[in-house]
Amino acid sequence: MKYSGRCKINTKDLWDAFGGILQRGAYEELLTPTRLKSFIENKSRLEHGTQVLIKDPKLEERTITLSIMIHGKDEEEYLKNYQAFLQELYKGEIVMEIPKLKQTFYLLFDSCSKYGNYGKKAGKFQLKLREPNPDRRE
C-alpha cells in the first residue's frame, strides 16, 4: 500500500519524513464546517425585539483533533521518526497539505491529548490543533 503523497506537514511528506499516516476520521475532522462568529446584536428599549446585524458574517476559529500513527521498521527507526515528528510539532505552526482534498490548512499545535505506544515500532498521537483563521486555506 502506498502511503506517501497523502499528507504533507510543513512541506515534508508525512510518510516519507516521519513514517506517519493520518488515521480514520481525519478528513471528516478537517472538512467539518466552521461556526460563524456571533452576530452583533442590540436590545434597545426603544425598539421591539432584538436588532441583529448580519452583514458580512465572519468565521470563528476552531480546534480540531487528529490522530496520526507514526511507524518504523524497527525500534531505532521508530524512535528516530518519533523525535523528528515531535521537533516538527514543536515549531508551532503546522501547514498541512492534503492533496486528495485539494486544500492546505494553516494550524497551530496545541497539545497531544493522548499517546499510545504499539510495541516498539509504532505510536499513535491524538493531536489538538487550532485553526485560528479557517478562511485562510488554499
Side-chain angles (χ1 to χ4, degrees):
M1 200 180 263
K2 182 182 178 235
Y3 292 115
S4 62
R6 294 183 180 189
C7 174
K8 287 185 180 179
I9 292 181
N10 298 341
T11 70
K12 298 174 185 166
D13 188 272
L14 184 59
W15 176 255
D16 295 339
F18 313 109
I21 303 169
L22 287 173
Q23 296 296 283
R24 183 170 289 146
Y27 290 175
E28 290 86 352
E29 187 75 15
L30 289 166
L31 291 176
T32 298
T34 305
R35 295 174 37 158
L36 290 175
K37 286 186 174 182
S38 298
F39 295 114
I40 297 171
E41 295 185 4
N42 180 22
K43 292 186 180 195
S44 172
R45 300 235 347 118
L46 302 175
E47 295 183 22
H48 296 287
T50 301
Q51 182 182 30
V52 181
L53 302 175
I54 57 172
K55 185 179 178 184
D56 197 22
K58 301 293 182 190
L59 299 176
E60 183 69 74
E61 73 172 333
R62 69 182 184 144
T63 299
I64 61 172
T65 302
L66 293 179
S67 292
I68 297 177
M69 182 77 84
I70 301 294
H71 297 86
K73 67 178 185 253
D74 54 30
E75 183 177 3
E76 184 178 337
E77 183 180 77
Y78 166 67
L79 291 173
K80 182 180 122 276
N81 288 342
Y82 171 87
Q83 288 299 328
F85 187 63
L86 282 183
Q87 287 177 354
E88 205 61 42
L89 291 177
Y90 290 154
K91 289 180 179 178
E93 185 176 43
I94 305 293
V95 179
M96 184 175 285
E97 190 179 334
I98 311 289
K100 189 172 184 175
L101 300 178
K102 297 181 174 124
Q103 288 196 36
T104 300
F105 298 86
Y106 294 87
L107 308 167
L108 300 175
F109 173 66
D110 185 7
S111 65
C112 179
S113 61
K114 188 175 181 183
Y115 170 76
N117 191 328
Y118 295 82
K120 297 180 180 180
K121 296 181 185 179
K124 184 176 177 182
F125 296 80
Q126 191 169 32
L127 302 177
K128 294 259 187 226
L129 303 166
R130 209 173 108 227
E131 187 175 24
N133 183 358
D135 195 45
R136 182 186 174 210
R137 292 187 190 160
E138 296 173 6

